[in-house]
Amino acid sequence: MTVDPLPPIGLNRVLGLCEVLDDRGGREDVSRLARELSYRLGDLLLAIRAAEILGLVSTPGADVVLEPLGKKVVDGDVNVKKAVLEDQMRRHSLFRFFLDLLGNAPGGELPRDTILEELAILLPNENPKTAFQTLVSWGRFGDVFGYSRDTGRFFLQHAPPRAQS
Amino acid sequence: MKAAGTRRARRSTARLAGAALLLAALALAAVRLRPSASGVPAGLADLPGLALRSLARMSAAYLLSLAFALAYGGAAARSRRAGRVLLPVLDVLQSIPVLGFFPVAVAFFAGLLPGAAGMELASVFLIFTGMAWNMAFGVYEGLSTIPADLAEAAAGFGVSGRLRAMRILLPAAVPKLVYNSIVSWAGGWYFLIACEIISVGGKRRALPGLGSYLQSTSDAGDLAANAAGLAVLVVLVVALDLVLWRPLSAWSERFRYGQAGTSTPDSSRVLDWWLAARGPRALRRAAAAALRTPLALLGRAWDRLAALHPRARRALVRACAALGIAGAGWLGISLVRGIARLAASPWPERAAEIPLAILASTGRLLAAYALALAWTVPVAVWAGSRPRVSRVVRPLAEVGASVPAIALFPLMVAVLVRHIGVSVAAVLLVLTGMQWYLLFNGLAGVSAIPEDLREAARSLGLPWRMRLRALVLPAVAPSLVTGSITGWGGGWNALIVSEQLSYAGVTYSAFGIGALLDDATYRGGGDPLLLALCLGAMVATIAVLNRLVWRRLQVWTAETFRIE
Amino acid sequence: MPAPAPAAQPPLLALEGVGMRYAMAGKEANVLEGVDLALADEELVCVVGPSGCGKSTLLRIVHGLVAPTSGRVVFEGRQASGVNLACAMVFQSFALLPWLTVLENVTLGLEARRVAPAERRPRADRYIDMVGLEGYEEAYPRELSGGMKQRVGLARALAVEPRLLLLDEPFSALDALTSISLRKDLLDIWASADVPVSTVLMVTHSIEEAVELSDRVVVIAGRPGRVAEILPVALPRPRDRKTPGFTAAVDHIFSLIV
């Protein structure tokens, strides 16, 4: 099973990106955006990539465009944001892999080292620790995964996905 | 222009001459004040001279330690491979209690150079061992925590050689060096006095100094003179602190990379005076003028070294390493020979007492530790969060730490031992060797709590019990552990000299490894095998405690309670 | 008969002639002088000014973390002294306890106020959810990004249900995209009916941010810092930075500070 990596960036920035695009009428040239926000182009591209993976934006040519799903996230409250992102996350190949893995694990949880090993195999070009951090961060945001540093366990949050409002 | 130039030249020569004269006068005074014979110190009039001699020994040992610390710590920080060898060695050296090796060192140096010269060397060496290791650690820590971006920027700008040493490396090492110097001097007084006292008790060859003065006056039962000696010691320590350490510490603040903990930095009126007043400024200019040529030569040599072809540099490094290995080898061979000689001696019957003795002594240390924590933690918490209070408490603690408790032993024995027994007295004496490290580190830890966390605690309305539980104690835990490690080190040193005490001709002893060591050294001409066994057992205990308890605790607290 | 006019509400907070003088390194510095300010209920007020003009000090005086050297603070009609626990503060550097989880950090204030143990968890959960950190309860601050840490700070302040929410340059330690996201969420929270706190006093160094968020902007300028002007911003929300009204307000404030 081929699995795509997650861009190592927090979802706050992805949401911020959507807000900014909405302010500018839903479309902006990437380099112009970087300049006007005084944002490093590399970091901005990461945010755009993450937003694209989640289906919130698209990138025709040199622009970035806010998709209807992205607009829904901008207009909605915290619960709507989370619901949309959770839904999108669950469709991602990396998430599907771990949902499956944890689903078959006793208690729906696995130790951190196991996850790191899996990540090392699945994503040979990525640093497993960074990948893990991103997985945990996104997973927590969407209420899909949880992680306890004290016990070192990576676990499934409640099973059924939240209903969208 | 030329006239002005010659005038300036004349002024600087005049200054140079003045500086030279001043130095000569000081040297003469020191020589003049030397007391008459060796051994028996006379009355109060000799006190200043004795004090100066003790001071001279300390200074010699300190300069040696400084040179060692810079070289050793610098080497360890510079090359990771070297560090992997040098640091564990330093670790081991640091856990060996200094006073445990006193009889060995005395025998060695006395054999090297006869008479008073050998004893002086022995005492300087012992003070050196009490100072050098933690200063070397300080240099290493300072150099290895240079923020990465700064180091990169410097490299990018091509700052290298002497400029790099002066502007980047040295300033990085300075704050830790100054702090460790202060702690080292406090410990140094302790060992110095111990050397002078013990030498009188055991070897009949006395080193004229404050320590032997205190011992002889207490032997004679002259409490008044003893008190006078103590007073001189305290005055000396306080004067040094005011004139040297506080200004240095205030000056070293400017080299701190990153934020300091408290909002109000250390201020020193002496430093302000030194920087501003005319007299010192003239002195400084004179010194600078005097040192300019030798420093320039040194600088050029350093630059030449730094610019050496890498192959030449590697050869040089290899040569130094070879020398080091050769030296270690020679030490090793003499050690093996010594062990062989020991193995030939008869097995001492008292050796069977060693395990129980270790247990007893460890028990005393635990008791002292509990007592120390009981009072230092509350004081540290109370004083550390009040800058005005800590500005008073800290120098008091520094004085307390510097006044070697050993100097008080004769007095304490007279009072304590007769009434409460040696065992308990030993605990109290060990306490004095432990508590100051805990207090210092506790104070430092509390005052390093970031201001925003304190504000948040107040903003949330946390009552003092919650503040303690949620903020102060967790934040100060890493410092307390560090303080405990050094405190226990000081405790072992104190233990060795507090389990067997003599006053007015009577010897009181408690059951423990310190007393055993003492006996092995002095009773009936000494038993070298017993001595070696005792030392071995003690070092093994310390090493085990360090590995199993302290290091683990240190790693855990540093990780869990880290504030970024 | 026309109904009698309602009695004028006393302001929630009033600063009267507040001044602050420090003695540092032997020298005296007059940081603030003669500050008069009144905050009404349900207002969002921003304080702007150049660096070092004393705006953070002003916030701490309002909270009672420091006492002014002159003037007084009047809260709900009564003179305030000491830390005012009806206020809660969000810090620029987040100020989270690194060895406590998100949940423990948020419940800290509740524990201090002797909220019943059974009540603490649900209340904390409520505000953790409100700032969008549901799922992060067991995380430690060092596992969180800056934006998330600040959300914890916000949740912690909201959880004690203060009358007045104080924010000390809450976004200045965050990058552009994160602060945009957080700013929007802050406005949503403030506007929502769910939250008991409705009055906000925020210090910021960004004039645009002040004009975007506030009902009134207090401009502090000069040394010692004085209130140069209190500018009401009547633009409808959500505010667009490109409208002429917006830019006019920004330019006006800028001219006062420079």
Side-chain angles (χ1 to χ4, degrees):
Chain A
M1 179 184 184
T2 52
V3 147
D4 301 313
L6 299 174
I9 192 164
L11 289 173
N12 271 320
R13 304 206 181 152
V14 171
L15 290 175
L17 175 67
C18 296
E19 299 281 347
V20 164
L21 282 176
D22 190 46
D23 278 346
R24 287 152 186 266
R27 186 186 192 108
E28 186 60 90
D29 172 75
V30 174
S31 50
R32 183 146 172 238
L33 195 61
R35 219 181 324 130
E36 288 183 13
L37 288 175
S38 305
Y39 216 75
R40 267 212 297 230
L41 190 63
D43 293 339
L44 184 64
L45 288 175
L46 268 180
I48 294 176
R49 174 106 192 91
E52 200 174 19
I53 287 177
L54 292 166
L56 305 173
V57 303
S58 61
T59 51
D63 285 352
V64 52
V65 174
L66 191 66
E67 292 289 304
L69 204 56
K71 180 84 173 121
K72 182 173 181 186
V73 159
V74 165
D75 290 338
D77 68 358
V78 161
N79 290 319
V80 166
K81 292 191 204 323
K82 283 195 161 236
V84 169
L85 285 171
E86 180 188 346
D87 200 49
Q88 293 297 100
M89 268 184 237
R90 284 179 184 269
R91 295 171 207 243
H92 187 273
S93 53
L94 190 68
F95 271 78
R96 287 210 312 271
F97 179 87
F98 281 105
L99 280 168
D100 198 40
L101 190 70
L102 285 174
N104 293 329
E109 63 173 38
L110 284 170
R112 176 175 180 260
D113 289 333
T114 314
I115 309 292
L116 285 174
E117 281 167 22
E118 292 288 344
L119 284 170
I121 300 170
L122 289 170
L123 307 168
N125 298 323
E126 310 286 318
N127 177 334
K129 287 203 186 140
T130 323
F132 180 70
Q133 252 177 301
T134 316
L135 185 65
V136 167
S137 177
W138 287 35
R140 275 173 171 157
F141 194 99
D143 222 10
V144 177
F145 297 130
Y147 172 62
S148 164
R149 212 155 154 270
D150 292 334
T151 59
R153 303 314 238 168
F154 184 69
F155 51 91
L156 280 174
Q157 296 279 32
H158 35 251
R162 202 202 317 252
Q164 294 191 16
S165 47
Chain B
M1 273 320 275
K2 196 162 179 226
T6 36
R7 236 184 295 140
R8 244 181 288 149
R10 238 180 275 152
R11 247 184 286 162
S12 45
T13 1
R15 284 201 203 108
L16 257 172
L21 266 174
L22 193 61
L23 282 166
L26 276 171
L28 258 174
V31 169
R32 269 297 196 76
L33 288 171
R34 202 190 339 185
S36 39
S38 70
V40 187
L44 287 169
D46 280 320
L47 262 179
L50 295 174
L52 260 164
R53 299 204 100 205
S54 299
L55 191 61
R57 270 177 222 124
M58 288 279 283
S59 313
Y62 176 66
L63 288 169
L64 276 171
S65 313
L66 195 60
F68 172 83
L70 286 170
Y72 199 93
R78 185 165 169 72
S79 135
R80 203 167 267 182
R81 248 189 311 160
R84 247 179 277 156
V85 171
L86 294 174
L87 289 174
V89 168
L90 206 59
D91 219 5
V92 169
L93 286 171
Q94 226 187 7
S95 45
I96 300 177
V98 174
L99 291 183
F101 279 82
F102 176 78
V104 175
V106 166
F108 179 75
F109 281 100
L112 223 62
L113 283 169
M119 297 296 290
E120 294 278 0
L121 267 179
S123 79
V124 168
F125 172 74
L126 276 160
I127 306 169
F128 165 83
T129 55
M131 289 182 164
W133 319 136
N134 80 78
M135 278 174 63
F137 263 130
V139 170
Y140 169 73
E141 277 174 25
L143 289 179
S144 56
T145 50
I146 298 179
D149 50 357
L150 214 79
E152 281 172 20
F157 278 112
V159 177
S160 64
R162 175 166 41 128
L163 193 61
R164 178 161 171 267
M166 297 255 32
R167 288 261 178 259
I168 297 188
L169 296 180
L170 217 54
V174 162
K176 278 262 159 74
L177 249 187
V178 171
Y179 176 75
N180 279 2
S181 298
I182 299 179
V183 174
S184 297
W185 267 74
W189 285 114
Y190 200 87
F191 300 133
L192 171 75
I193 305 293
C195 297
E196 296 179 1
I197 289 183
I198 294 181
S199 75
V200 172
K203 281 265 176 188
R204 292 299 181 84
R205 283 209 196 109
L207 288 169
L210 273 175
S212 46
Y213 178 83
L214 287 167
Q215 180 64 44
S216 62
T217 48
S218 108
D219 265 349
D222 187 351
L223 285 179
N226 193 297
L230 279 173
V232 168
L233 179 60
V234 172
V235 166
L236 193 56
V237 165
V238 171
L240 267 176
D241 180 68
L242 276 177
V243 169
L244 197 58
W245 298 128
R246 285 241 258 150
L248 265 180
S249 163
W251 172 76
S252 77
E253 279 298 312
R254 73 173 70 168
F255 296 110
R256 280 200 189 275
Y257 287 114
Q259 287 188 338
T262 39
S263 38
T264 42
D266 230 355
S267 72
S268 160
R269 255 179 286 169
V270 176
L271 180 67
D272 298 332
W273 168 80
W274 178 261
L275 288 174
R278 254 182 289 168
R281 242 191 295 171
L283 194 68
R284 257 183 299 152
R285 251 174 287 169
L291 292 171
R292 198 171 307 157
T293 9
L295 274 181
L297 283 170
L298 255 173
R300 246 175 288 164
W302 183 282
D303 279 334
R304 200 89 50 85
L305 261 177
L308 269 181
H309 196 268
R311 226 177 290 161
R313 224 183 305 165
R314 246 180 288 156
L316 196 67
V317 168
R318 257 184 240 146
C320 291
L323 260 172
I325 295 176
W330 174 76
L331 263 171
I333 295 177
S334 357
L335 216 78
V336 169
R337 257 194 262 153
I339 294 178
R341 228 181 300 149
L342 280 176
S345 5
W347 185 261
E349 47 178 46
R350 295 199 73 188
E353 295 177 31
I354 293 183
L356 270 172
I358 292 265
L359 232 74
S361 300
T362 313
R364 279 194 201 103
L365 278 164
L366 267 167
Y369 183 57
L371 283 170
L373 277 178
W375 82 264
T376 52
V377 173
V379 171
V381 168
W382 174 72
S385 25
R386 295 173 171 73
R388 256 185 290 166
V389 176
S390 61
R391 236 178 289 162
V392 172
V393 170
R394 250 226 338 236
L396 278 178
E398 276 170 37
V399 171
S402 308
V403 173
I406 286 187
L408 300 169
F409 280 13
L411 219 67
M412 282 199 166
V413 170
V415 175
L416 289 174
V417 172
R418 300 236 201 91
H419 297 286
I420 57 177
V422 200
S423 205
V424 179
V427 170
L428 288 175
L429 293 170
V430 166
L431 177 66
T432 60
M434 269 192 170
Q435 57 195 5
W436 303 115
Y437 295 108
L438 278 168
L439 185 62
F440 278 138
N441 279 280
L443 275 174
V446 173
S447 54
I449 297 179
E451 193 56 37
D452 66 346
L453 286 185
R454 279 192 218 258
E455 278 194 321
R458 292 178 60 213
S459 161
L460 289 168
L462 297 187
W464 71 267
R465 239 170 294 195
M466 272 193 77
R467 236 180 302 164
L468 208 64
R469 175 171 52 92
L471 177 62
V472 180
L473 287 178
V476 85
S479 311
L480 276 180
V481 172
T482 312
S484 300
I485 296 180
T486 22
W488 271 69
W492 283 107
N493 273 310
L495 183 86
I496 292 172
V497 291
S498 39
E499 284 184 338
Q500 191 140 277
L501 310 156
S502 48
Y503 178 76
V506 185
T507 309
Y508 307 83
S509 73
F511 179 68
I513 195 77
L516 254 180
L517 252 166
D518 234 32
D519 275 349
T521 316
Y522 298 122
R523 185 172 295 184
D527 183 342
L529 184 54
L530 182 62
L531 177 65
L533 287 170
C534 287
L535 273 175
M538 198 166 58
V539 174
T541 316
I542 296 177
V544 163
L545 276 175
N546 268 350
R547 284 277 138 200
L548 287 186
V549 178
W550 296 124
R551 293 292 168 212
R552 282 211 205 140
L553 215 61
Q554 199 173 35
V555 168
W556 180 73
T557 50
E559 180 53 38
T560 316
F561 301 114
R562 183 167 41 122
I563 301 177
E564 280 157 27
Chain C
M1 280 261 290
Q9 278 273 24
L12 176 65
L13 172 83
L15 297 176
E16 298 173 4
V18 161
M20 190 71 191
R21 191 180 305 149
Y22 278 134
M24 211 186 327
K27 279 177 275 194
E28 282 212 338
N30 224 352
V31 178
L32 286 171
E33 206 168 76
V35 173
D36 291 310
L37 175 63
L39 275 182
D41 259 316
E42 314 217 350
E43 275 202 285
L44 199 166
V45 175
C46 281
V47 179
V48 293
S51 314
C53 71
K55 32 189 213 295
S56 289
T57 313
L58 190 62
L59 209 65
R60 279 158 177 79
I61 291 175
V62 168
H63 197 350
L65 289 175
V66 308
T69 47
S70 53
R72 60 190 202 136
V73 179
V74 180
F75 190 82
E76 286 181 330
R78 261 167 293 149
Q79 177 157 355
S81 68
V83 179
N84 185 351
L85 294 180
C87 306
M89 191 146 142
V90 176
F91 293 84
Q92 180 181 13
S93 59
F94 324 129
L96 301 178
L97 291 174
W99 42 83
L100 297 181
T101 60
V102 166
L103 182 63
E104 287 165 350
N105 265 292
V106 173
T107 46
L108 207 58
L110 299 176
E111 204 183 322
R113 275 144 222 263
R114 319 232 176 166
V115 171
E119 162 72 11
R120 281 180 213 159
R121 177 80 202 241
R123 200 151 124 181
D125 275 340
R126 182 161 161 242
Y127 290 101
I128 291 177
D129 290 357
M130 195 181 290
V131 300
L133 284 180
E134 185 180 339
Y136 286 85
E137 290 87 353
E138 303 302 318
Y140 282 92
R142 103 179 44 134
E143 303 175 63
L144 305 175
S145 66
M148 289 175 190
K149 279 193 255 204
Q150 196 55 299
R151 283 171 197 267
V152 179
L154 188 58
R156 177 176 71 178
L158 291 173
V160 302
E161 297 181 349
R163 289 276 275 132
L164 176 58
L165 184 65
L166 303 169
L167 299 130
D168 185 11
E169 302 209 31
F171 311 121
S172 60
L174 306 170
D175 67 277
L177 287 183
T178 312
S179 33
I180 289 171
S181 165
L182 215 59
R183 218 174 293 151
K184 169 122 184 315
D185 289 347
L186 178 67
L187 267 180
D188 285 342
I189 291 174
W190 174 68
S192 87
D194 269 347
V195 179
V197 66
S198 49
T199 321
V200 174
L201 181 63
M202 180 165 117
V203 164
T204 172
H205 64 255
S206 159
I207 303 179
E208 277 115 353
E209 188 172 280
V211 175
E212 181 182 334
L213 296 175
S214 25
D215 295 315
R216 289 191 294 154
V217 177
V218 177
V219 184
I220 308 261
R223 273 185 210 266
R226 280 202 176 81
V227 176
E229 187 175 319
I230 302 184
L231 183 75
V233 182
L235 303 165
R237 291 195 182 88
R239 295 179 183 160
D240 188 346
R241 291 195 178 195
K242 298 198 204 73
T243 53
F246 194 101
T247 40
V250 170
D251 288 339
H252 179 67
I253 296 175
F254 194 71
S255 68
L256 289 170
I257 293 180
V258 164

